[in-house]
Amino acid sequence: MNNEEKLHESRVQTALAAMPDDEKIEEMGARFKTLSEPSRLKILLALAAGELCVEHITEAVGGNQSAVSHQLKTLKDNKIVKCRREGKKILYSVSDAHVMIMIEVAKEHLNCNE
């Protein structure tokens, strides 16, 4: 094996060592798919300010309560948001801070390209 082939093989092995298993890749893809829907992104951006009930989220994102509730369920099912009851209200918040970091990086990236 010549030096070029050794270098190529070394790079392939480095790439393979850094690669998550297929289950983790599937999970990552599902997260990105969940985040790619604009109304869910709006909800997460609203929740970046702190806990909100469905009524306040609906007002902040300009949607209707049924659609917001549906999107919150999807976000909750994907472990991106969590909720807790306070009296008669259910308050939602971001449960995965890493997701908000990714969103902030995406916002910064868009601002850099203007």
Side-chain angles (χ1 to χ4, degrees), residues 21 24-25 39 59:
D21 64 34
K24 289 289 183 195
I25 291 172
S39 63
E59 191 176 324

Side-chain angles (χ1 to χ4, degrees), residues 42-52 94 100 103-104 107:
K42 278 184 168 182
I43 290 169
L44 290 169
L45 288 164
L47 290 173
E51 283 186 321
L52 294 170
V94 176
M100 295 312 297
I103 291 171
E104 285 303 315
K107 282 174 40 182

Side-chain angles (χ1 to χ4, degrees), residues 4-27:
E4 188 175 320
E5 289 171 335
K6 286 179 185 176
L7 178 61
H8 174 78
E9 183 62 28
S10 172
R11 288 181 177 163
V12 169
Q13 291 305 315
T14 300
L16 288 171
M19 186 83 55
D21 64 34
D22 288 347
E23 186 178 316
K24 289 289 183 195
I25 291 172
E26 285 286 327
E27 190 176 332

Side-chain angles (χ1 to χ4, degrees), residues 94 96-108:
V94 176
D96 188 343
H98 294 104
V99 168
M100 295 312 297
I101 292 169
M102 292 185 331
I103 291 171
E104 285 303 315
V105 168
K107 282 174 40 182
E108 288 174 21

Side-chain angles (χ1 to χ4, degrees), residues 2 10 15 17 19-20 50 55 66 78 86 88-89 91 94 97 102:
N2 66 33
S10 172
M19 186 83 55
E55 180 183 335
S66 175
N78 283 276
E86 187 175 278
K88 292 183 179 183
K89 292 197 183 258
L91 297 173
V94 176
M102 292 185 331

